[in-house]
Amino acid sequence: MMARRQEGSGAAQLRRSVRRADLRAVPEVRSALRALLGHWGEPGSAEVAELLTSELVTNALVHTGEGAVVTATVAPAGLRVEVRDFTTGEVEPPAAAAPDESTHGRGLLLVQSLADAWGVRALGLGKVVWFELHGGRT
């Protein structure tokens, strides 16, 4: 895991490689993100960031069967989290809510409803799913 502050920009960054199918990494990434964010944003903003990051990391590990790289950049303007995987395939857009008894299928709905912006960027090998939060600031 790596965390660094970008000189002169007021931004700090966390970068973490997650091994294939290592779901134990999800709470580790959450903890590292919590440390990076400190007292960032309005009350509850850091918790939302942790939740959305957990969803994206879990999706990458469960649905690709490969590892992922998580990059979180916090700057005065807000937070951007990117989760890169290394398999081809598309991210399905969020569908209607899953039945109440389902334990799967809500991750991207949460991202869509709680993030200030989010999207998917295809790469030569794999893709990046990202979200941004402004920390309660508009």
Side-chain angles (χ1 to χ4, degrees):
M1 185 170 346
M2 201 168 71
R4 66 181 172 171
R5 187 153 302 275
Q6 296 173 342
E7 294 301 319
S9 67
Q13 188 173 71
L14 167 75
R15 187 171 174 91
R16 169 81 153 81
S17 293
V18 181
R19 290 186 315 232
R20 180 175 87 174
D22 184 10
L23 291 176
R24 294 172 302 181
V26 176
E28 293 170 8
V29 169
R30 282 181 75 125
S31 177
L33 182 65
R34 186 178 315 118
L36 176 72
L37 295 177
H39 299 289
W40 171 82
E42 297 294 319
S45 296
E47 290 81 4
V48 170
E50 287 181 47
L51 172 65
L52 300 184
T53 300
S54 294
E55 293 296 337
L56 294 187
V57 172
T58 301
N59 281 352
L61 294 175
V62 169
H63 296 294
T64 69
E66 297 293 330
V69 175
V70 180
T71 305
T73 305
V74 63
L79 170 70
R80 181 177 175 99
V81 174
E82 298 181 347
V83 178
R84 178 182 182 184
D85 66 51
F86 299 93
T87 60
T88 57
E90 296 183 19
V91 173
E92 296 292 324
D100 288 340
E101 63 275 358
S102 175
T103 59
H104 299 287
R106 293 188 177 90
L108 288 180
L109 282 171
L110 284 171
V111 174
Q112 181 181 41
S113 65
L114 296 175
D116 293 313
W118 80 282
V120 180
R121 186 175 75 242
L123 302 172
L125 175 62
K127 64 193 158 300
V128 172
V129 183
W130 59 271
F131 72 85
E132 294 178 349
L133 293 173
H134 300 133
R137 298 170 181 92
T138 53

